[in-house]
Amino acid sequence: TPKRRKVTKANFFADEDVDEKDKETASEDEIHDEEYTPVSQKKGRPSRTGSVTIPRKRSIGKTDSSTPATKRKRRSSIKKVQTVEQDSTIFAAVLSGQAMQMTIDDWITHYNQNKVKGMIELIQFVVHCCGCKGIVTQEMLNESENIKSIQELTLKFDEDTHEYPIIMAGPKYKKLKASFSIHDHYNNNDIIYDDDVMVVVESWLISLADSQVRAFRHTSTFLGMHLGNGLITVITTVKRELEVSQHQLQNEKRKSSSKKGRDKIDTLTTKCDRLKENVSYLENLLKNIFTGVFVHRYRDINPQIRTLCIEQLGNWIRYYSSLFLNDNCMKYIGWTLNDKVSQVRIIAVKVLQELYSVASFSSQLTIFTKRFCVNVTKKKAKIRMMKDLIRFFIDTEVHELADYLVDSLWNSTELLKDWEIMTGMLLGQHLKEDEEPLDDEEEFRLIKIMCCAIRQASVGHGPPGRQMAKKGFTSSKEKKAQRSLKDTISTHFSIILPKLLAKFSAEREKIGFLVEIPQYMDLDIYSEMELQNPLEALLKQVEGILEKHADMEVLDICAKTLRCLLGEESNVKTAVEVTRHKIMDKITNEFKEIFGNSLEKEAITIGVEKVLSNCDGDTEINLLTYLKKIVVMYKEFNIKAWECIPYFEAIVEYGLKRSINDKIMCLAISGVQLNLAWEFSDEEAEGGQLKVGALSENFNRLIRICDELMQFSNPNVQKKAFCILCDTLMMVSKPLIESDPSTLLSYETDRSVQIRCRDFIMSCVFDADENFDLESRKDDVPDSDYEIFCEKRNLLAAFCKLIVYKIFDTELAAPVFANYLKRFKDFGDIIKYVMTKVRQSNLSSYTTTILLGLQQAFENVRHENSASPTSVIKDVEPLKELARRFSLMFGVESLKSQSTRQNLINLHRDGIKYALEKPDESATYQHLPFLVILNEFSCRLLDVDKCSKTAGVLPFLEELLPSELKLNMKNEEFYPLRIYFEGLKGEKTNVEEIADIENANKDDMADDGPEEEPQADEWLSKEKAVKQRKGQRKSKGRRSVRSSRRAAATKAN
């Protein structure tokens, strides 16, 4: 064949009619080579199709040294330009119903008379079969690669219709298509061996098969594949004749020398050589059609062309198995088994049925069976298992989060790592004709499972609460496996993700999971594999999602994905930066147009007041949408350059004076806070020397605004203002930045602000709507209630964070600690974490805080029950359990610490003082029942801490106890005091020992000099002496037991 033009992305994929998948490579014959490499294409073995012998081409109308002089004179006398009219001979004759053999004979006669004109008529017939009105000229035939010729013919198409003869209905067009299926007229025509005819026809069919016009591609493929059928018919006839001639030659050679006919042997030998040459010539023509037409069109975007290719290839393999029944040809049928169109898959299956029905083919189909049929069976099983898993996820009453379902099965099955199966099911690529696609709920559940599996594969561990077997240690083998999984995810989803986003872009719940996938990919894949088109497609989809959606969660994920993409290599970063600027330009321009697109502050204020005072429903929706998009982008990027903050500040000022939509106010105050956070970050990076004063003033102003909104706004705005206030204090509060002397900006929180935050938490989180009890209600919990519950946890966590980092005084956490047991199911984990951190940081503050919390809880009970102390005792049982829990947090080992023991003693002393108070100068001791609660800490005291005369709790109580209580302790109303006394006097075995130690110490001090007043912690050292004496007694006891045993053993021996 003539030299074919190099197929590139620019000239081959320009038409939208070409398969989108083929845009990844420069040539379709290279597709899937990595997936399936036949034996003949292994390294060092050239493929069968790659070694095609190209027949020589003779140029029409040009002088050839081998052409006789008469032919040269006849060709030189022909005109350079000849045209054929639309109703010309061949096409009109075929449409009129004339027999094809008669038409061919007429054309051969015409061709023998004038070859140039005959070739023009033949190519014109091909062009007319494509439905083109263009006229073929001699210059077109003389062109070496037919590129310009086809471009000229493309302009002659009728743009008003998309039909062409081989797809048109009607009797005459059916006859036209049927006439190409009759292959007998290929025989007995020597014209098929004419290089001038076959080479030119093949060249045009191959060039038309590369066209961007569907009619050219479909018609040339149709003609080329049927031409291949005709060539196979001729080859079969020639081979049959060759077998007869070879048989005759062998018989002739077996004859005796007297009967041999030398002339006949020479004639038969010459005939056999000629027939072999003809077979080789015809096979080369057939191979050229295979590589030039089939290989380029078996994956055309048009399913009719794909069906045609596979169907005719099946005929070629079946009727000429010696050339086509091999791995190199069978792989195309195997790949088509996964075609997205069911009709194409059905044709592929039918072709395989016909091939497997031939017994002699079975041995040659072994490799194909192992490679494709087994995989198809496995794929069906995987799809069925995945559907079962989806159905289990939907039907069973398990936890709604898919993370835990994925983690439970992660090491049990490889199905969760088969990305091709999951994406194929979502895109409908694995559907058979009798199967139903996934419904909406099944698609959503599959997307959740897939995205959770991607997250676990990328990060290397399960969701919260699922502890790894080896904490903090990952072996090199595990790291390698995790890296391999991440590479597989990146390679697969870099191509397929834009298609998933395009399909589900309008569905909020699904797109939120899918757009998060790039955050778990290795984004270097785009630069390493030069995947510029997939990257552009991904960015285009993200941009479209940001433009289309107004849901805060989806927008937030999109912004995070852009931020993740922006952190990669420079070429990826450049494309993402362009997209980000494009998004921001569009959002901010439309946002500013709502207020008149002013630049001066006064004009902005006037515009904002005008819009918000006359804000209708549509304007409010648009404003909310733009505010959401700007805020989510501000979370990830510093977009100060777009100058949106003056509008946000004007909205906040307006909201402080008048009533506006709560959501608008919350978004505006968020934008102001994010802007200050970026400014604070920039100032720290630059040394913070230039604008510290202005920045500090802005922070103080923001804190005042949040404090005001927290007191006087609507509940939703109050909650948002509280969260912003907490976040702002975390940035600039003095306790956090004292360790960094280079930071000039610091803020010491006012005590009144701390108290208001404490009161807000108590009223908002620990309100009358007590236990949410998520576990017991399970699936009956409405989404709104669950969101409120999560919101309360976030508010409590924000407040507790300030306690942990000492921004707020620890004592303010006392009412929170008091709710530890009461709201344990809802907030127990948060409160316990804070208590642990506070205890580790400052044990004294922790002890004071839990005592204060118990006292406040006791006061609440006392006010609820204003009767006598006796009746109050019944209501403090829950507080006794709370005190017991608090006491357990001191631990057993910690009691060995002098600091812990001292704080426990101080707790008892302060508790005793509180219990013996007489509030309001009343005659009764209303706080006396508190001793029942305090008694729960008695078991944590050592004996020496209870009874020591110098610093013990019991002597302190006896000293502080009024005489009237000592005399009337047995009265019923003083029952709490009696209980507390019994708790302190629970063990009396060490009293004498303590007295002896104290007397011995006094004697020693008397000998050394005058007696001094004991220090506060001096008595703690006496415990060592007590323990030492106990140890001596125990050792003596052990020695006596051992000696008695030894004596008994000696006696027995």
Side-chain angles (χ1 to χ4, degrees):
T1 58
K3 182 180 179 182
R4 300 179 62 247
R5 64 190 176 98
K6 184 179 180 181
V7 182
T8 63
K9 296 179 182 178
N11 58 25
F12 186 74
F13 302 121
D15 182 36
E16 63 180 3
D17 205 23
V18 181
D19 189 357
E20 291 292 332
K21 295 180 181 178
D22 297 343
K23 296 184 181 181
E24 307 300 332
T25 55
S27 175
E28 288 186 69
D29 55 353
E30 299 174 356
I31 296 175
H32 293 312
D33 283 346
E34 294 180 1
E35 180 180 357
Y36 180 79
T37 305
V39 177
S40 61
Q41 290 191 6
K42 296 293 183 183
K43 188 174 182 181
R45 299 183 183 180
S47 63
R48 185 181 296 251
T49 56
S51 59
V52 174
T53 303
I54 302 177
R56 66 184 184 277
K57 174 181 177 181
R58 298 174 185 170
S59 300
I60 304 298
K62 293 187 178 180
T63 303
D64 194 315
S65 58
S66 62
T67 306
T70 54
K71 292 183 178 181
R72 289 199 302 271
K73 290 180 182 179
R74 185 166 60 252
R75 289 181 180 177
S76 62
S77 63
I78 300 176
K79 295 181 180 179
K80 293 183 179 180
V81 180
Q82 297 187 21
T83 60
V84 180
E85 298 298 330
Q86 178 68 27
D87 58 350
S88 186
T89 310
I90 304 178
F91 189 72
V94 174
L95 282 184
S96 65
Q98 180 177 324
M100 180 60 78
Q101 188 62 50
M102 183 183 299
T103 306
I104 292 174
D105 293 340
D106 293 342
W107 176 81
I108 292 175
T109 302
H110 192 195
Y111 172 77
N112 290 331
Q113 294 174 356
N114 190 328
K115 291 191 174 183
V116 175
K117 187 175 181 180
M119 285 307 304
I120 292 175
E121 289 179 348
L122 182 60
I123 301 304
Q124 186 70 62
F125 168 70
V126 174
V127 172
H128 284 167
C129 287
C130 297
C132 179
K133 297 179 181 179
I135 304 301
V136 179
T137 64
Q138 183 178 344
E139 284 82 357
M140 294 181 180
L141 294 183
N142 292 336
E143 187 183 346
S144 59
E145 296 186 4
N146 309 322
I147 298 175
K148 294 182 179 179
S149 304
I150 295 176
Q151 288 177 350
E152 292 178 11
L153 294 172
T154 301
L155 302 175
K156 302 297 182 180
F157 265 100
D158 185 3
E159 298 181 357
D160 297 333
T161 179
H162 298 285
E163 293 188 341
Y164 42 94
I166 65 170
I167 65 170
M168 294 173 70
K172 59 181 181 179
Y173 295 108
K174 289 183 180 179
K175 290 180 181 179
L176 173 66
K177 289 184 286 185
S179 63
F180 292 107
S181 302
I182 303 173
H183 305 138
D184 292 338
H185 47 253
Y186 287 89
N187 290 317
N188 303 321
N189 285 323
D190 292 338
I191 196 71
I192 202 171
Y193 300 107
D194 190 333
D195 284 355
D196 289 339
V197 175
M198 298 307 298
V199 172
V200 172
V201 170
E202 274 195 344
S203 174
W204 274 82
L205 290 178
I206 292 172
S207 298
L208 290 170
D210 273 350
S211 173
Q212 300 169 359
V213 181
R214 178 182 299 180
F216 279 157
R217 295 200 314 275
H218 194 176
T219 305
S220 60
T221 304
F222 180 84
L223 296 177
M225 298 305 292
H226 280 285
L227 175 59
N229 290 334
L231 292 174
I232 291 173
T233 303
V234 176
I235 292 172
T236 304
T237 303
V238 174
K239 280 193 168 184
R240 193 180 301 116
E241 186 178 354
L242 176 60
E243 290 175 0
V244 173
S245 299
Q246 287 177 336
H247 183 70
Q248 292 175 352
L249 178 61
Q250 294 297 329
N251 290 338
E252 192 65 29
K253 288 181 178 180
R254 291 193 190 100
K255 291 180 180 180
S256 59
S257 57
S258 59
K259 295 182 179 181
K260 282 183 181 179
R262 178 57 58 187
D263 294 340
K264 188 173 182 179
I265 290 176
D266 293 341
T267 302
L268 289 173
T269 302
T270 303
K271 183 178 181 181
C272 288
D273 292 341
R274 179 176 56 81
L275 291 174
K276 288 179 181 179
E277 184 180 350
N278 289 346
V279 170
S280 177
Y281 170 78
L282 294 172
E283 284 184 348
N284 283 335
L285 291 177
L286 194 55
K287 291 175 183 177
N288 292 335
I289 295 174
F290 178 80
T291 57
V293 177
F294 173 83
V295 171
H296 282 254
R297 293 276 63 84
Y298 85 99
R299 284 193 64 185
D300 193 284
I301 193 172
N302 188 352
Q304 290 180 314
I305 300 178
R306 300 200 300 271
T307 302
L308 171 65
C309 289
I310 297 302
E311 185 177 19
Q312 295 305 320
L313 178 61
N315 292 333
W316 290 12
I317 295 173
R318 186 174 185 184
Y319 295 112
Y320 199 19
S321 59
S322 60
L323 182 62
F324 292 105
L325 186 56
N326 53 58
D327 300 340
N328 190 46
C329 297
M330 289 297 298
K331 66 181 180 182
Y332 298 105
I333 300 177
W335 290 333
T336 312
L337 291 172
N338 296 320
D339 196 281
K340 60 185 178 181
V341 178
S342 60
Q343 187 61 36
V344 182
R345 298 195 300 267
I346 291 172
I347 291 296
V349 172
K350 288 182 177 179
V351 168
L352 290 176
Q353 286 176 341
E354 293 177 356
L355 296 179
Y356 277 98
S357 65
V358 181
S360 59
F361 290 174
S362 58
S363 60
Q364 294 168 284
L365 292 171
T366 304
I367 297 178
F368 176 85
T369 303
K370 292 180 179 179
R371 174 65 181 87
F372 289 100
C373 297
V374 174
N375 281 357
V376 169
T377 304
K378 290 181 178 178
K379 185 173 290 186
K380 289 181 178 178
K382 287 181 178 180
I383 293 173
R384 187 165 55 252
M385 289 174 61
M386 182 57 73
K387 287 186 176 180
D388 292 342
L389 179 60
I390 295 170
R391 182 49 52 189
F392 168 79
F393 190 28
I394 295 174
D395 293 344
T396 55
E397 297 181 357
V398 296
H399 200 286
E400 186 66 18
L401 294 177
D403 307 64
Y404 297 90
L405 176 64
V406 170
D407 184 64
S408 301
L409 302 174
W410 188 251
N411 297 321
S412 304
T413 177
E414 294 295 318
L415 182 64
L416 294 174
K417 302 163 192 172
D418 198 328
W419 319 116
E420 183 180 355
I421 289 291
M422 289 186 274
T423 55
M425 292 176 68
L426 289 172
L427 294 174
Q429 295 175 346
H430 303 318
L431 283 178
K432 307 301 179 185
E433 192 166 77
D434 57 341
E435 293 180 347
E436 294 184 0
L438 298 176
D439 59 29
D440 186 69
E441 181 65 19
E442 289 173 336
E443 284 180 342
F444 175 60
R445 297 304 178 106
L446 177 56
I447 288 173
K448 288 185 71 174
I449 291 173
M450 181 182 72
C451 294
C452 292
I454 291 171
R455 186 186 302 113
Q456 180 146 345
S458 179
V459 301
H461 58 78
R466 297 290 177 93
Q467 299 295 331
M468 298 175 61
K470 301 177 181 179
K471 294 183 180 179
F473 176 77
T474 305
S475 65
S476 58
K477 184 177 180 180
E478 292 172 339
K479 289 180 180 178
K480 186 177 180 181
Q482 180 186 346
R483 181 66 188 175
S484 177
L485 265 177
K486 192 169 184 178
D487 290 343
T488 305
I489 292 170
S490 305
T491 303
H492 180 76
F493 284 95
S494 60
I495 305 297
I496 209 72
L497 183 58
K499 298 179 181 179
L500 291 171
L501 295 177
K503 179 176 181 180
F504 300 105
S505 62
E507 302 180 50
R508 180 186 62 83
E509 291 183 342
K510 299 174 185 176
I511 204 65
F513 287 95
L514 294 174
V515 79
E516 190 180 8
I517 291 177
Q519 299 177 27
Y520 303 104
M521 292 168 52
D522 182 2
L523 299 175
D524 292 339
I525 194 76
Y526 288 105
S527 57
E528 292 173 357
M529 298 183 64
E530 299 182 356
L531 300 175
Q532 189 65 27
N533 288 340
L535 176 62
E536 291 177 357
L538 173 62
L539 293 174
K540 184 178 180 181
Q541 290 300 327
V542 173
E543 180 184 352
I545 293 168
L546 275 168
E547 181 180 355
K548 188 180 301 181
H549 287 271
D551 182 74
M552 198 69 177
E553 185 177 357
V554 174
L555 296 175
D556 192 47
I557 296 173
C558 286
K560 288 180 180 177
T561 299
L562 280 176
R563 180 64 180 175
C564 183
L565 290 168
L566 198 59
E568 298 303 315
E569 293 187 357
S570 57
N571 52 351
V572 177
K573 185 176 181 179
T574 302
V576 179
E577 194 68 41
V578 171
T579 302
R580 184 174 73 90
H581 276 74
K582 184 179 177 182
I583 292 170
M584 286 307 305
D585 289 341
K586 184 173 183 180
I587 294 174
T588 54
N589 289 337
E590 293 177 356
F591 170 70
K592 292 177 182 178
E593 286 178 1
I594 297 177
F595 304 105
N597 204 3
S598 304
L599 297 177
E600 297 180 359
K601 187 175 181 179
E602 294 182 1
I604 292 173
T605 303
I606 294 172
V608 168
E609 290 180 354
K610 182 179 179 181
V611 171
L612 294 179
S613 59
N614 302 302
C615 190
D616 58 7
D618 293 338
T619 304
E620 190 173 273
I621 292 174
N622 291 335
L623 182 57
L624 273 173
T625 302
Y626 293 126
L627 285 171
K628 288 178 182 178
K629 294 177 180 180
I630 294 173
V631 167
V632 297
M633 294 297 286
Y634 229 139
K635 288 180 181 178
E636 305 299 329
F637 309 101
N638 188 353
I639 57 173
K640 184 179 178 180
W642 279 269
E643 298 180 348
C644 297
I645 294 305
Y647 294 89
F648 282 69
E649 291 176 343
I651 294 173
V652 172
E653 290 294 338
Y654 183 88
L656 291 172
K657 300 174 184 177
R658 303 181 186 178
S659 176
I660 62 173
N661 185 292
D662 289 350
K663 294 181 180 179
I664 293 177
M665 188 64 182
C666 291
L667 290 169
I669 194 69
S670 296
V672 173
Q673 188 256 348
L674 289 169
N675 178 65
L676 286 177
W678 280 108
E679 285 188 4
F680 182 69
S681 177
D682 293 343
E683 288 298 325
E684 282 191 329
E686 297 173 3
Q689 299 294 332
L690 299 178
K691 301 179 182 178
V692 170
L695 190 59
S696 178
E697 183 180 347
N698 290 335
F699 270 111
N700 290 331
R701 179 170 172 271
L702 177 61
I703 291 172
R704 288 196 302 270
I705 291 174
C706 292
D707 187 22
E708 182 179 348
L709 291 174
M710 191 174 65
Q711 298 178 65
F712 306 111
S713 296
N714 296 329
N716 291 331
V717 180
Q718 286 180 329
K719 294 173 185 177
K720 188 65 180 178
F722 174 80
C723 291
I724 293 174
L725 176 61
C726 293
D727 291 341
T728 305
L729 291 175
M730 285 294 296
M731 281 193 292
V732 299
S733 287
K734 189 174 181 180
L736 285 180
I737 58 179
E738 282 180 341
S739 58
D740 186 5
S742 62
T743 304
L744 302 180
L745 180 62
S746 64
Y747 181 85
E748 191 168 357
T749 311
D750 186 72
R751 176 73 178 180
S752 60
V753 175
Q754 298 184 33
I755 294 174
R756 283 193 289 273
C757 289
R758 189 272 315 274
D759 294 341
F760 175 79
I761 280 294
M762 296 310 299
S763 63
C764 184
V765 177
F766 302 101
D767 52 6
D769 184 17
E770 296 196 348
N771 262 339
F772 182 74
D773 200 2
L774 181 65
E775 294 182 0
S776 63
R777 293 170 65 179
K778 292 184 180 179
D779 295 337
D780 298 332
V781 179
D783 291 341
S784 58
D785 288 355
Y786 185 76
E787 290 175 1
I788 293 172
F789 169 68
C790 293
E791 185 181 59
K792 288 183 177 182
R793 286 180 58 86
N794 291 334
L795 293 172
L796 179 60
F799 175 78
C800 291
K801 185 167 54 177
L802 300 176
I803 297 293
V804 170
Y805 287 100
K806 303 179 183 178
I807 298 171
F808 283 3
D809 295 338
T810 307
E811 290 78 5
L812 295 176
V816 176
F817 290 0
N819 282 276
Y820 174 62
L821 199 60
K822 186 177 181 181
R823 303 296 297 272
F824 182 80
K825 290 184 178 180
D826 298 341
F827 313 114
D829 54 337
I830 299 175
I831 300 174
K832 185 175 181 180
Y833 178 83
V834 178
M835 292 169 66
T836 303
K837 287 295 182 181
V838 171
R839 188 182 75 247
Q840 293 172 353
S841 175
N842 191 328
L843 185 59
S844 177
S845 296
Y846 169 74
T847 306
T848 304
T849 305
I850 61 172
L851 179 62
L852 182 59
L854 290 171
Q855 290 172 354
Q856 291 176 357
F858 175 77
E859 289 290 345
N860 293 334
V861 172
R862 192 172 66 85
H863 287 301
E864 290 175 2
N865 192 340
S866 58
S868 63
T870 306
S871 58
V872 175
I873 294 175
K874 299 178 182 179
D875 296 329
V876 297
E877 288 298 324
L879 297 184
K880 287 177 60 179
E881 179 62 21
L882 177 63
R884 189 184 70 83
R885 293 288 187 95
F886 286 165
S887 68
L888 291 175
M889 296 189 72
F890 284 96
V892 177
E893 294 296 326
S894 62
L895 295 179
K896 298 178 181 179
S897 167
Q898 291 186 0
S899 175
T900 304
R901 290 169 54 194
Q902 180 63 58
N903 279 284
L904 277 170
I905 292 173
N906 293 338
L907 183 145
H908 278 273
R909 288 181 173 181
D910 293 339
I912 291 171
K913 291 178 182 179
Y914 172 78
L916 298 180
E917 286 181 353
K918 283 187 175 182
D920 303 328
E921 299 181 356
S922 60
T924 60
Y925 294 92
Q926 298 183 12
H927 293 169
L928 200 61
F930 184 76
L931 292 176
V932 177
I933 302 171
L934 189 63
N935 186 51
E936 296 297 326
F937 293 92
S938 299
C939 61
R940 314 307 295 176
L941 291 171
L942 298 178
D943 294 345
V944 64
D945 300 339
K946 294 177 182 177
C947 305
S948 173
K949 293 182 179 180
T950 56
V953 175
L954 190 58
F956 177 83
L957 175 61
E958 292 175 346
E959 180 182 351
L960 199 65
L961 197 66
S963 58
E964 57 178 318
L965 292 180
K966 291 180 181 180
L967 297 174
N968 301 313
M969 190 178 297
K970 294 183 179 181
N971 291 350
E972 185 65 24
E973 60 177 323
F974 300 137
Y975 170 77
L977 180 60
R978 191 166 64 253
I979 290 293
Y980 188 60
F981 257 107
E982 292 175 357
L984 292 177
K985 294 181 178 180
E987 291 190 20
K988 305 178 183 179
T989 55
N990 297 326
V991 176
E992 296 178 358
E993 296 175 3
I994 295 170
D996 294 339
I997 294 171
E998 290 176 348
N999 293 331
N1001 289 336
K1002 288 180 181 179
D1003 294 338
D1004 294 337
M1005 286 187 292
D1007 295 336
D1008 294 338
E1011 183 178 356
E1012 297 180 359
E1013 187 71 15
Q1015 300 296 323
D1017 297 335
E1018 184 181 5
W1019 58 272
L1020 293 172
S1021 61
K1022 297 176 184 178
E1023 179 194 2
K1024 296 181 180 178
V1026 175
K1027 287 185 177 179
Q1028 189 174 3
R1029 292 193 179 186
K1030 286 184 177 180
Q1032 290 174 356
R1033 284 201 211 97
K1034 288 180 180 178
S1035 60
K1036 289 180 181 179
R1038 294 192 191 101
R1039 283 197 297 270
S1040 62
V1041 170
R1042 284 197 297 268
S1043 60
S1044 61
R1045 287 178 180 175
R1046 194 179 299 112
T1050 304
K1051 185 177 181 180
N1053 292 333

